[in-house]
Amino acid sequence: MKYEKLSKEIIEAVGGKDNIISVQHCMTRLRFSLKDESKANDEMIKNIDGVLSLVKKGGQYQVVIGTHVHDVYLDLCKIADIKEEQEEEKPEKKKNLFNAMFSAIIGAIGPIIPILVGTGLGKCILLMISTMGWANAETSMTFYIFNFVFDAGFTFLPVFVAVAAAKHFKCNMFMAALLGCALVHPNWNGIVSATDPKFIGQIFGFLPVYGMPYTSSLIPALLMVWVMSKVEWTLNKYIPDLLKGMLTPLLTLLIMTPLTFVVLAPAMGIISIYLGNALLWVYNTFGMFAIAIMCIIYPWMVVTGMHSTLAIAGIQILSQSGYDPFSRTLTLTANMAQGAAATACAVKTKNKQFRTTCISAAFTAFFAGITEPCIYGVSLRLKKPMYAVMIGSCLGGLYAGFCGLKAFAFMTPSVINFPMWMGGSGSSNLVNAIITMIISAVGTFIATLVIGFEDPKEEGEETQETKEQLNNNILLVHSPIEGIVIDLNEVNDEMFSGEVLGKGVAIIPNNGKIYAPEDGVITATFETKHAIGLTTDKGVEILIHIGIDTVKLEGKPFVQCVNKGQKVKQGDLLVEFDMSEIKKADLDPTTMVVVTNSDKFLEVIPTKQKTVNQNDTLLTII
């Protein structure tokens, strides 16, 4: 196996094969659902040769690999013995509805993209043939057959979504497909003639049924299968094994049919329509400015993985209006901008190895429409080229919004996927797409050269000056107290666990003495003496908060040893407190050490040690 070593390292780093519930892949990422995410070693993942980055979003553990992700996925599945149809255990940590739906949306979109790309490109080719006057559905049986085959991709979209969602939610794919087929059944479509829901009768003699077409829809099928997974799981839990094979399918249909057609599908159908209409309203009202602003944000959405959700909006608008003026335009400008930034870096860099990386990444962005190699290998790595990408994307977005650029097929924009922009009257839309590409690429290329970047050194060429500069960018905060280290998000106080006050760490103290973690000035004291603020000589603002809700004690267990404005040295005694008094009051003495100006730094990284002594390194700040 070509990627055996890489696959084994990834499996080990995510906590072993027994910790994997499921794994899917998109164009560049392995998307894991894990039983216990705490067993995964983030740093190990990031340091694996062949892994570009790690993204944790929407309940998924996403490992960015690159364009060869499919081959890695196949090898990983063989090594971990992951089979497509195997029954998996439920995750130990339950996901809320939002995370479950978000994760399912991502999981459902990925597998059906080949269908959307193939049928979308096919429709564009037929449109070109028809426009040229070579053939049409009335004069050519070949044209007629290919036309309805390509139409099937969107017409039966609920069926494909139902199957993909069933795989994600671990329920019977064939039952899900059956319900998906029911949504687009000819008999249903035959009695529904209005887009808006209209009353068409009653089920069981008292439940009102409101009809609307569900062909080309996405959201109704997603929610339907999510509910079906809960129904199926409950039935399998309580029905005797002897009767499961017979009763579970029947009862699932008896329950899901009224639920789907009375409640779920109409409600989600309305949401789908309003979602599409809302985005079209934003586009029609704000036009070029709305597109330009979103183009600035979109490259960062790709970094976080949030860009996948825009596919839903694009598919919904495309199915409603026959074109997408929104999601594909954002992707077009970003893809061209990322490719241009990498090209500019290749021209300017003196590092031969890095130049090769830039050229490869640029080619992938321009011709495959895949930008992760550019993002993680070039623009985000050097930081400044990312600003150039935002500038070029914005310029392209301004023009695209001004001329009303539209995509007529759901595809990944690239320089070779030009048929997706063919539609409407004449060739003006295609010409505008080409101009948008040029503006985005040229604008980014020039901006990258003007803004510049710090050229990465050749391997082995790192000077002593470079090392010292790197070390100067890393600040250390030492522990002000001795005790057991816990994550800040485990603290029973939302102000700290939600990182409202900043990033940091918590310590369950072994004694009642707080020392200065660094040289600095005392910048905050309190009458109740339960907390103290310090600004270090290097500009780090630190809050040390002793206990949870200890403000109620009105300072009784605390002795403050310093005053506001006082200069202190690392190791100076700041506060003494009586832990027995805090515990006697039934309060938690856990002490939080928080960097209140965390937003001024790239990262605030807690120590990996489980216990610390006073003066041990507690936080590393980059």
Side-chain angles (χ1 to χ4, degrees):
M1 289 183 284
K2 185 177 180 181
Y3 297 103
E4 181 177 3
K5 180 176 180 294
L6 174 59
S7 299
K8 287 181 177 178
E9 290 177 347
I10 292 173
I11 292 169
E12 180 186 357
V14 299
K17 65 179 184 180
D18 292 335
N19 195 39
I20 301 173
I21 297 172
S22 64
V23 60
Q24 298 172 335
H25 74 86
C26 58
M27 301 296 279
T28 59
R29 308 179 187 202
L30 292 171
R31 298 177 181 270
F32 289 92
S33 290
L34 302 178
K35 295 177 184 176
D36 185 356
E37 196 171 294
S38 66
K39 292 182 180 179
N41 189 324
D42 295 356
E43 290 304 314
M44 185 184 294
I45 283 283
K46 294 175 183 177
N47 291 328
I48 293 175
D49 186 21
V51 172
L52 294 176
S53 184
L54 171 68
V55 177
K56 294 190 283 186
K57 208 72 178 175
Q60 288 192 331
Y61 197 85
Q62 304 174 18
V63 181
V64 184
I65 300 295
T67 54
H68 56 289
V69 65
H70 180 69
D71 296 331
V72 177
Y73 168 79
L74 294 177
D75 286 356
L76 185 143
C77 287
K78 288 180 182 177
I79 294 169
D81 194 26
I82 296 174
K83 299 177 182 178
E84 190 172 333
E85 300 297 330
Q86 73 183 43
E87 290 293 324
E88 305 281 1
E89 294 179 29
K90 294 287 180 183
E92 295 175 6
K93 185 178 180 180
K94 293 182 179 179
K95 299 175 184 176
N96 59 37
L97 175 59
F98 175 79
N99 276 344
M101 290 300 294
F102 184 86
S103 182
I105 287 168
I106 295 174
I109 289 294
I112 66 175
I113 282 179
I115 296 173
L116 299 175
V117 170
T119 57
L121 182 57
K123 291 289 288 183
C124 289
I125 292 173
L126 292 183
L127 176 63
M128 182 171 62
I129 292 172
S130 177
T131 302
M132 298 297 292
W134 297 338
N136 57 53
E138 296 178 357
T139 61
S140 169
M141 179 58 68
T142 304
F143 189 101
Y144 180 83
I145 291 175
F146 274 106
N147 190 45
F148 74 70
V149 169
F150 293 147
D151 275 340
F154 273 97
T155 301
F156 299 105
L157 185 61
V159 182
F160 306 132
V161 172
V163 171
K167 183 178 179 182
H168 177 84
F169 289 125
K170 307 302 173 191
C171 58
N172 191 298
M173 282 192 283
F174 300 103
M175 292 293 292
L178 173 60
L179 289 173
C181 289
L183 289 177
V184 295
H185 196 285
N187 288 356
W188 174 258
N189 290 331
I191 61 172
V192 175
S193 58
T195 300
D196 296 324
K198 66 172 184 177
F199 177 76
I200 58 175
Q202 293 179 329
I203 190 170
F204 297 135
F206 67 94
L207 294 176
V209 178
Y210 290 87
M212 62 185 303
Y214 301 115
T215 54
S216 306
S217 65
L218 180 105
I219 299 177
L222 269 176
L223 184 63
M224 174 187 71
V225 176
W226 181 74
V227 174
M228 190 196 96
S229 70
K230 304 298 182 184
V231 171
E232 188 178 83
W233 182 85
T234 303
L235 291 173
N236 283 329
K237 182 178 180 180
Y238 292 104
I239 293 177
D241 291 342
L242 185 64
L243 301 175
K244 277 182 184 178
M246 177 178 62
L247 291 183
T248 298
L250 176 62
L251 292 176
T252 298
L253 289 176
L254 290 176
I255 294 170
M256 286 306 303
T257 297
L259 263 180
T260 297
F261 287 95
V262 174
V263 180
L264 301 177
M268 292 301 102
I270 294 171
I271 289 175
S272 297
I273 291 171
Y274 277 109
L275 172 65
N277 289 341
L279 289 172
L280 285 172
W281 178 84
V282 170
Y283 173 76
N284 292 326
T285 304
F286 301 103
M288 58 189 294
F289 300 107
I291 295 292
I293 292 171
M294 285 302 299
C295 283
I296 295 173
I297 301 170
Y298 186 81
W300 296 100
M301 296 181 69
V302 177
V303 172
T304 62
M306 291 289 292
H307 66 297
S308 299
T309 57
L310 281 179
I312 305 165
I315 293 170
Q316 182 61 40
I317 296 173
L318 194 61
S319 64
Q320 280 181 224
S321 58
Y323 60 85
D324 173 12
F326 205 74
S327 72
R328 298 302 87 197
T329 300
L330 302 182
T331 312
L332 174 68
T333 60
N335 290 358
M336 296 303 105
Q338 291 288 0
T343 303
C345 290
V347 170
K348 193 170 183 178
T349 184
K350 297 179 181 179
N351 184 327
K352 294 179 181 179
Q353 184 179 3
F354 181 60
R355 180 179 292 115
T356 302
T357 299
C358 291
I359 293 172
S360 173
F363 183 87
T364 303
F366 282 136
F367 292 95
I370 296 171
T371 57
E372 276 83 352
C374 284
I375 292 171
Y376 298 112
V378 182
S379 55
L380 195 60
R381 173 184 172 184
L382 301 179
K383 297 183 180 65
K384 287 185 178 179
M386 199 68 171
Y387 302 135
V389 167
M390 295 166 66
I391 293 170
S393 296
C394 180
L395 293 174
L398 278 172
Y399 179 80
F402 176 77
C403 67
L405 182 64
K406 301 177 179 68
F408 293 91
F410 188 88
M411 301 169 64
T412 301
S414 68
V415 296
I416 61 175
N417 281 347
F418 64 88
M420 65 184 292
W421 307 104
M422 296 180 63
S425 57
S427 59
S428 60
N429 193 74
L430 175 60
V431 172
N432 286 329
I434 294 172
I435 294 174
T436 300
M437 291 182 189
I438 294 172
I439 292 174
S440 301
V442 173
T444 304
F445 186 87
I446 295 173
T448 304
L449 296 180
V450 172
I451 295 173
F453 57 89
E454 187 176 342
D455 200 7
K457 299 288 184 180
E458 294 275 6
E459 191 172 344
E461 193 184 326
E462 199 174 63
T463 63
Q464 183 62 33
E465 182 182 355
T466 304
K467 291 179 181 177
E468 289 176 0
Q469 184 179 11
L470 178 61
N471 290 333
N472 287 337
N473 289 331
I474 298 177
L475 306 177
L476 301 179
V477 174
H478 297 89
S479 179
I481 193 170
E482 177 184 320
I484 300 171
V485 179
I486 62 173
D487 289 338
L488 202 59
N489 59 20
E490 296 179 16
V491 173
N492 189 25
D493 187 320
E494 291 183 1
M495 289 292 289
F496 292 103
S497 62
E499 297 184 345
V500 175
L501 298 177
K503 297 181 179 179
V505 73
I507 301 171
I508 302 174
N510 290 343
N511 57 52
K513 293 186 177 182
I514 301 291
Y515 298 92
E518 298 297 323
D519 296 351
V521 177
I522 302 300
T523 49
T525 56
F526 302 84
E527 290 185 10
T528 52
K529 305 172 186 176
H530 70 292
I532 194 162
L534 169 76
T535 299
T536 73
D537 291 345
K538 295 183 178 179
V540 182
E541 298 174 5
I542 301 171
L543 172 67
I544 304 170
H545 191 285
I546 306 165
I548 298 173
D549 290 334
T550 47
V551 67
K552 298 176 181 177
L553 300 177
E554 300 180 345
K556 292 177 183 178
F558 304 100
V559 177
Q560 186 174 294
C561 305
V562 291
N563 298 314
K564 185 176 180 180
Q566 182 176 333
K567 179 79 175 177
V568 295
K569 292 288 185 182
Q570 181 185 337
D572 288 351
L573 184 63
L574 304 182
V575 179
E576 287 187 279
F577 61 95
D578 189 339
M579 277 206 299
S580 62
E581 288 293 324
I582 295 175
K583 292 180 179 178
K584 189 183 297 183
D586 199 26
L587 296 175
D588 186 347
T590 297
T591 298
M592 283 64 69
V593 182
V594 175
V595 178
T596 55
N597 61 340
S598 301
D599 57 332
K600 293 186 177 180
F601 304 100
L602 292 176
E603 291 287 350
V604 177
I605 307 170
T607 179
K608 293 182 180 179
Q609 295 177 216
K610 298 299 182 184
T611 60
V612 289
N613 295 315
Q614 184 264 324
N615 208 34
D616 284 350
T617 298
L618 184 67
L619 299 172
T620 301
I621 301 175
I622 302 174

PDB file of all heavy atoms in Angstrom, residues 281-291:
ATOM      1  N   TRP A 281     -32.445  37.576  -2.131  1.00  0.00           N
ATOM      2  CA  TRP A 281     -32.789  38.951  -1.759  1.00  0.00           C
ATOM      3  C   TRP A 281     -31.529  39.739  -1.418  1.00  0.00           C
ATOM      4  O   TRP A 281     -31.371  40.886  -1.841  1.00  0.00           O
ATOM      5  CB  TRP A 281     -33.739  38.947  -0.571  1.00  0.00           C
ATOM      6  CG  TRP A 281     -34.095  40.339  -0.114  1.00  0.00           C
ATOM      7  CD1 TRP A 281     -35.071  41.154  -0.620  1.00  0.00           C
ATOM      8  CD2 TRP A 281     -33.451  41.090   0.928  1.00  0.00           C
ATOM      9  NE1 TRP A 281     -35.089  42.364   0.044  1.00  0.00           N
ATOM     10  CE2 TRP A 281     -34.099  42.356   0.997  1.00  0.00           C
ATOM     11  CE3 TRP A 281     -32.408  40.816   1.807  1.00  0.00           C
ATOM     12  CZ2 TRP A 281     -33.720  43.324   1.919  1.00  0.00           C
ATOM     13  CZ3 TRP A 281     -32.017  41.791   2.711  1.00  0.00           C
ATOM     14  CH2 TRP A 281     -32.672  43.030   2.769  1.00  0.00           C
ATOM     15  N   VAL A 282     -30.633  39.114  -0.622  1.00  0.00           N
ATOM     16  CA  VAL A 282     -29.366  39.775  -0.279  1.00  0.00           C
ATOM     17  C   VAL A 282     -28.585  40.096  -1.542  1.00  0.00           C
ATOM     18  O   VAL A 282     -28.050  41.207  -1.706  1.00  0.00           O
ATOM     19  CB  VAL A 282     -28.523  38.884   0.654  1.00  0.00           C
ATOM     20  CG1 VAL A 282     -27.108  39.448   0.811  1.00  0.00           C
ATOM     21  CG2 VAL A 282     -29.188  38.749   2.010  1.00  0.00           C
ATOM     22  N   TYR A 283     -28.556  39.140  -2.466  1.00  0.00           N
ATOM     23  CA  TYR A 283     -27.811  39.339  -3.718  1.00  0.00           C
ATOM     24  C   TYR A 283     -28.447  40.457  -4.560  1.00  0.00           C
ATOM     25  O   TYR A 283     -27.748  41.345  -5.056  1.00  0.00           O
ATOM     26  CB  TYR A 283     -27.795  38.032  -4.507  1.00  0.00           C
ATOM     27  CG  TYR A 283     -27.207  38.164  -5.892  1.00  0.00           C
ATOM     28  CD1 TYR A 283     -25.833  38.262  -6.081  1.00  0.00           C
ATOM     29  CD2 TYR A 283     -28.032  38.203  -7.014  1.00  0.00           C
ATOM     30  CE1 TYR A 283     -25.292  38.395  -7.343  1.00  0.00           C
ATOM     31  CE2 TYR A 283     -27.507  38.339  -8.288  1.00  0.00           C
ATOM     32  CZ  TYR A 283     -26.133  38.424  -8.447  1.00  0.00           C
ATOM     33  OH  TYR A 283     -25.613  38.557  -9.706  1.00  0.00           O
ATOM     34  N   ASN A 284     -29.776  40.415  -4.696  1.00  0.00           N
ATOM     35  CA  ASN A 284     -30.460  41.408  -5.535  1.00  0.00           C
ATOM     36  C   ASN A 284     -30.454  42.798  -4.907  1.00  0.00           C
ATOM     37  O   ASN A 284     -30.458  43.805  -5.607  1.00  0.00           O
ATOM     38  CB  ASN A 284     -31.910  40.974  -5.794  1.00  0.00           C
ATOM     39  CG  ASN A 284     -31.982  39.747  -6.676  1.00  0.00           C
ATOM     40  OD1 ASN A 284     -31.155  39.564  -7.558  1.00  0.00           O
ATOM     41  ND2 ASN A 284     -32.972  38.899  -6.436  1.00  0.00           N
ATOM     42  N   THR A 285     -30.437  42.845  -3.561  1.00  0.00           N
ATOM     43  CA  THR A 285     -30.491  44.132  -2.870  1.00  0.00           C
ATOM     44  C   THR A 285     -29.123  44.796  -2.763  1.00  0.00           C
ATOM     45  O   THR A 285     -28.970  45.983  -3.030  1.00  0.00           O
ATOM     46  CB  THR A 285     -31.085  43.955  -1.454  1.00  0.00           C
ATOM     47  OG1 THR A 285     -32.367  43.337  -1.556  1.00  0.00           O
ATOM     48  CG2 THR A 285     -31.214  45.306  -0.754  1.00  0.00           C
ATOM     49  N   PHE A 286     -28.126  44.005  -2.361  1.00  0.00           N
ATOM     50  CA  PHE A 286     -26.808  44.582  -2.104  1.00  0.00           C
ATOM     51  C   PHE A 286     -25.795  44.278  -3.210  1.00  0.00           C
ATOM     52  O   PHE A 286     -24.714  44.859  -3.237  1.00  0.00           O
ATOM     53  CB  PHE A 286     -26.274  44.091  -0.757  1.00  0.00           C
ATOM     54  CG  PHE A 286     -27.157  44.446   0.397  1.00  0.00           C
ATOM     55  CD1 PHE A 286     -27.985  43.493   0.974  1.00  0.00           C
ATOM     56  CD2 PHE A 286     -27.186  45.739   0.893  1.00  0.00           C
ATOM     57  CE1 PHE A 286     -28.806  43.812   2.037  1.00  0.00           C
ATOM     58  CE2 PHE A 286     -28.003  46.068   1.950  1.00  0.00           C
ATOM     59  CZ  PHE A 286     -28.814  45.113   2.526  1.00  0.00           C
ATOM     60  N   GLY A 287     -26.136  43.322  -4.068  1.00  0.00           N
ATOM     61  CA  GLY A 287     -25.359  43.050  -5.274  1.00  0.00           C
ATOM     62  C   GLY A 287     -23.875  42.917  -5.055  1.00  0.00           C
ATOM     63  O   GLY A 287     -23.399  42.078  -4.292  1.00  0.00           O
ATOM     64  N   MET A 288     -23.115  43.776  -5.730  1.00  0.00           N
ATOM     65  CA  MET A 288     -21.666  43.680  -5.764  1.00  0.00           C
ATOM     66  C   MET A 288     -21.042  43.796  -4.379  1.00  0.00           C
ATOM     67  O   MET A 288     -20.037  43.156  -4.091  1.00  0.00           O
ATOM     68  CB  MET A 288     -21.088  44.757  -6.677  1.00  0.00           C
ATOM     69  CG  MET A 288     -21.457  46.176  -6.291  1.00  0.00           C
ATOM     70  SD  MET A 288     -20.980  47.399  -7.538  1.00  0.00           S
ATOM     71  CE  MET A 288     -19.211  47.294  -7.476  1.00  0.00           C
ATOM     72  N   PHE A 289     -21.650  44.574  -3.494  1.00  0.00           N
ATOM     73  CA  PHE A 289     -21.062  44.764  -2.171  1.00  0.00           C
ATOM     74  C   PHE A 289     -21.209  43.510  -1.305  1.00  0.00           C
ATOM     75  O   PHE A 289     -20.301  43.149  -0.557  1.00  0.00           O
ATOM     76  CB  PHE A 289     -21.698  45.979  -1.495  1.00  0.00           C
ATOM     77  CG  PHE A 289     -21.494  47.250  -2.259  1.00  0.00           C
ATOM     78  CD1 PHE A 289     -22.543  47.843  -2.954  1.00  0.00           C
ATOM     79  CD2 PHE A 289     -20.245  47.836  -2.325  1.00  0.00           C
ATOM     80  CE1 PHE A 289     -22.355  49.001  -3.670  1.00  0.00           C
ATOM     81  CE2 PHE A 289     -20.045  49.003  -3.054  1.00  0.00           C
ATOM     82  CZ  PHE A 289     -21.098  49.586  -3.727  1.00  0.00           C
ATOM     83  N   ALA A 290     -22.369  42.844  -1.408  1.00  0.00           N
ATOM     84  CA  ALA A 290     -22.571  41.601  -0.658  1.00  0.00           C
ATOM     85  C   ALA A 290     -21.575  40.533  -1.108  1.00  0.00           C
ATOM     86  O   ALA A 290     -20.949  39.856  -0.289  1.00  0.00           O
ATOM     87  CB  ALA A 290     -24.005  41.096  -0.839  1.00  0.00           C
ATOM     88  N   ILE A 291     -21.407  40.389  -2.416  1.00  0.00           N
ATOM     89  CA  ILE A 291     -20.467  39.405  -2.944  1.00  0.00           C
ATOM     90  C   ILE A 291     -19.041  39.756  -2.529  1.00  0.00           C
ATOM     91  O   ILE A 291     -18.266  38.889  -2.102  1.00  0.00           O
ATOM     92  CB  ILE A 291     -20.563  39.336  -4.487  1.00  0.00           C
ATOM     93  CG1 ILE A 291     -21.937  38.806  -4.915  1.00  0.00           C
ATOM     94  CG2 ILE A 291     -19.463  38.459  -5.059  1.00  0.00           C
ATOM     95  CD1 ILE A 291     -22.184  37.366  -4.575  1.00  0.00           C
TER      96      ILE A 291
END
